[in-house]
Amino acid sequence: MKNIREGLIPTVLGTAVTTAGMVMKQNRKIDSMISNTVFGFGLAHIVLGTIDLIEHRHKL
């Protein structure tokens, strides 16, 4: 676990949540507010994880 770069887990998790939000958007039975919220949380995780990856790139 020590070899995992800081920010990688939130970025991967955000990608999965964003994908889930996109799938939920295509399903008409699910309220659009819920799917947009899931999609937004996923994007936020990607952004924050990417910031951590960039900020700590010199530390290996």
Side-chain angles (χ1 to χ4, degrees):
M1 286 299 275
K2 284 188 173 184
N3 293 336
I4 296 177
R5 292 182 60 191
E6 188 174 345
L8 188 62
I9 292 174
T11 305
V12 172
L13 177 68
T15 303
V17 173
T18 303
T19 303
M22 287 297 294
V23 169
M24 289 172 69
K25 279 185 170 194
Q26 294 175 354
N27 188 352
R28 299 287 181 211
K29 295 178 185 175
I30 298 175
D31 188 19
S32 66
M33 187 172 79
I34 295 171
S35 60
N36 288 335
T37 301
V38 171
F39 183 76
F41 275 122
L43 286 179
H45 275 83
I46 291 173
V47 169
L48 294 174
T50 303
I51 289 171
D52 275 345
L53 283 171
I54 292 171
E55 192 175 88
H56 300 285
R57 68 176 170 219
H58 61 281
K59 298 178 185 176
L60 292 175

